[in-house]
Every structure is written in structure tokens, then in C-alpha cells.
Amino acid sequence: MPILMIKAKPNSRISALTRQEDGTWLAQLKSPPVDGKANAELIALVAQHFGCARSQVLVKTGAGARLKRVQIPD
């Protein structure tokens, strides 16, 4: 199971997931970082981008931080 390094940017104007030059990902999230709303949007965005179910996407570390390690299925 691959692990992605994702930098979350909550309260953005758009919702987007883009790959950076250094191999990490930048997640621009419309949701505020309150009550897990931004993490829920991040999981939905990653699942949509990689074509898998939301239940298969797991935030391994960084649930309360901007830099997160997210596990996706093969």
C-alpha cells in the first residue's frame, strides 16, 4: 500500500489535489480545519483522484497537522 506525503491547505477557494516537484502532494481544501471537516474532504479528494473508495483511504499520521501521511490501496 503506497503512502503519500500530502500538505493540506484548508480554507482554499478551490478543492484540488496537485503533485509537487519534490514528489509530495498539495491538497487545497475548501473546508475549515474544524471537527475533522478538512480531513473528510481530503479523504474524498484522494479517493476521487486515485479512483478508489473513501473507506480504503487512511490518514496514517498528521490528522491534526498540515503535513499528513495518507495510505491508498494499490
Side-chain angles (χ1 to χ4, degrees), residues 2-7 17-27 49-50 67-70 72:
I3 301 224
L4 308 173
M5 290 294 291
I6 300 179
K7 183 176 183 191
L17 183 66
T18 53
R19 189 171 180 119
Q20 304 297 296
E21 289 181 16
D22 61 0
T24 63
W25 293 81
L26 175 65
H49 184 84
F50 290 100
L67 196 58
K68 302 173 187 301
R69 293 178 65 201
V70 178
I72 59 170

Side-chain angles (χ1 to χ4, degrees), residues 36-37 46 62 71:
K37 290 180 183 175
V46 169
Q71 182 176 336

Side-chain angles (χ1 to χ4, degrees), residues 3-70:
I3 301 224
L4 308 173
M5 290 294 291
I6 300 179
K7 183 176 183 191
K9 188 176 176 189
N11 294 320
S12 295
R13 288 183 291 131
I14 59 167
S15 185
L17 183 66
T18 53
R19 189 171 180 119
Q20 304 297 296
E21 289 181 16
D22 61 0
T24 63
W25 293 81
L26 175 65
Q28 293 173 281
L29 308 168
K30 287 184 179 179
S31 301
V34 178
D35 297 330
K37 290 180 183 175
N39 282 338
E41 183 182 347
L42 173 70
I43 288 170
L45 195 63
V46 169
Q48 179 186 10
H49 184 84
F50 290 100
C52 58
R54 280 188 251 174
S55 60
Q56 294 177 304
V57 178
L58 184 65
V59 178
K60 294 292 271 183
T61 61
R66 287 186 185 240
L67 196 58
K68 302 173 187 301
R69 293 178 65 201
V70 178

